[in-house]
Amino acid sequence: MSPGRQNATHAEIVAALRQGHSNLRIARDLHCDKHRVARIRRELGIPNTPLQPLTLEEKWASKTRPVDGGHLEWTGERAKATGTPLMRYKGDTYSPAAIAFEKHHGRPARGYVKADCDYPHCVAPDHVNDTAARESDRLRTRAERGLGDIPATCVSGHSMSKHAKFKADGTAYCGRCKVLDKRAQRDPSAPRRIRLLPTSVDEAFARHAEPAEDGHIRWTGRTSHTTPTVSFANTVHSAYKIAFRIEHGREPEGTVTSRCDMPYCVAAAHLEDRPMRQDRRQQERRARQQERKLDRLYARIFGSAA
Ligand SMILES: [Zn+2]
Ligand SMILES: [Zn+2]
Ligand SMILES: [Zn+2]
């Protein structure tokens, strides 16, 4: 055998062909001419090895990269206009998010699959949802927040039993209004739908504050992380701060936090700003000191007798 293996033997090439390798791979491994490999393949009648030896899932996995926060970045092809990941496999185009969904749920996705996390176009199997899973997640969040029945009609009078859609925080919106809004954006001459917008931030707040049992006030509006929020005049406000100001007649100092165990409750009696938090903590400290003092006193009086 020559040192550079410029000429693999016929038997070596046959053995490699029988192992199912491609012409290109054999030529590379054995350092021989790929046309010679192809000729021997034809002579022996061994069918060509497909160039795509990876399974669909293997190809998917080879195009993903883990990133901080448990997300999965798609490193493969993307749709030019939207940046949406896509994957070609054996002549078909697949949604990498849909493959991720099936991997996690063990069933094919129904409807549009996308990630619910904040990483753009994430394809982590446990971060993606299809239309059906998204809807039931949102309805569960809605139930957990105690948001209850949806109104019969939206502010424009559309039937909500027909048009209601849900956001990730469980709040309902009118799908018909959304379609009309989009149409109006595209065509400024389209008739505008009549919507009675709140005229003040307090009114916007009041629309979503609903008295509940035990003095709680249930928040039916939007939320961001742990805070209920109100949008007014293109600004997002903390509903906690608005509730605080309405109750105390002054702007709060620092962050307003809730001490209530009902999520997003906006009852002013359950909220406190920074000075109130500091006062409470000081009182709690004093009470603890007093308790310790009494403990020591009792120990002096009764300790020796015990
Ligand atoms: Zn993610
Ligand atoms: Zn509507
Ligand atoms: Zn409360």
Side-chain angles (χ1 to χ4, degrees), residues 43-305:
E43 283 164 12
L44 296 174
I46 298 170
N48 269 314
T49 312
L51 280 172
Q52 178 61 271
L54 296 178
T55 65
L56 182 76
E57 258 197 42
E58 283 167 350
K59 180 165 182 189
W60 174 88
S62 74
K63 304 278 183 192
T64 61
R65 190 175 69 86
V67 286
D68 280 352
H71 306 293
L72 210 55
E73 186 191 289
W74 181 248
T75 60
E77 195 179 344
R78 285 169 187 267
K80 277 197 186 66
T82 56
T84 306
L86 56 92
M87 187 179 104
R88 288 175 215 277
Y89 185 77
K90 294 187 176 168
D92 283 318
T93 304
Y94 291 83
S95 151
I99 295 170
F101 179 90
E102 190 163 349
K103 225 170 130 71
H104 189 67
H105 293 268
R107 65 160 175 90
R110 283 189 291 269
Y112 182 52
V113 180
K114 66 181 173 78
D116 274 340
C117 66
D118 51 12
Y119 192 81
H121 300 300
C122 176
V123 293
D126 53 342
H127 292 187
V128 293
N129 261 334
D130 69 349
T131 305
R134 207 157 35 237
E135 195 79 352
S136 62
D137 265 11
R138 289 171 180 195
L139 288 174
R140 195 168 44 241
T141 305
R142 185 172 174 81
E144 278 164 11
R145 285 182 63 188
L147 296 184
D149 295 338
I150 50 170
T153 57
C154 76
V155 288
S156 297
H158 304 128
S159 159
M160 284 293 266
S161 61
K162 216 166 134 192
H163 298 295
K165 293 245 163 63
F166 300 94
K167 292 186 175 168
D169 62 8
T171 54
Y173 67 95
C174 173
R176 180 80 191 130
C177 282
K178 196 170 178 190
V179 168
L180 292 175
D181 272 353
K182 273 193 181 154
R183 204 174 288 169
Q185 264 171 15
R186 278 197 304 268
D187 175 13
S189 69
R192 292 198 171 257
R193 66 193 177 84
I194 306 142
R195 190 165 70 161
L196 298 168
L197 288 168
T199 53
S200 69
V201 69
D202 288 11
E203 196 192 321
F205 167 83
R207 281 191 183 180
H208 298 292
E210 195 179 277
E213 64 289 347
D214 299 330
H216 298 298
I217 296 183
R218 178 177 294 121
W219 182 247
T220 64
R222 305 291 328 259
T223 63
S224 171
H225 304 288
T226 57
T227 309
T229 57
V230 181
S231 288
F232 182 73
N234 297 322
T235 310
V236 178
H237 304 263
S238 154
Y240 285 154
K241 284 198 170 183
I242 298 167
F244 185 97
R245 176 177 47 69
I246 292 171
E247 171 70 13
H248 297 280
R250 67 166 173 90
E251 290 294 336
E253 278 178 52
T255 324
V256 177
T257 51
S258 170
R259 300 197 61 216
C260 182
D261 53 12
M262 179 171 142
Y264 309 114
C265 169
V266 289
H270 305 165
L271 301 173
E272 54 186 18
D273 70 348
R274 193 174 50 218
M276 290 166 79
R277 260 193 308 276
Q278 286 165 348
D279 278 357
R280 175 175 54 80
R281 283 180 188 149
Q282 201 169 17
Q283 272 170 24
E284 285 170 359
R285 240 187 334 263
R286 276 204 205 106
R288 276 198 303 275
Q289 279 167 358
Q290 196 64 33
E291 220 171 285
R292 274 200 296 275
K293 222 182 201 170
L294 281 172
D295 282 350
R296 280 197 298 273
L297 188 66
Y298 287 140
R300 264 208 302 279
I301 298 171
F302 304 109
S304 48

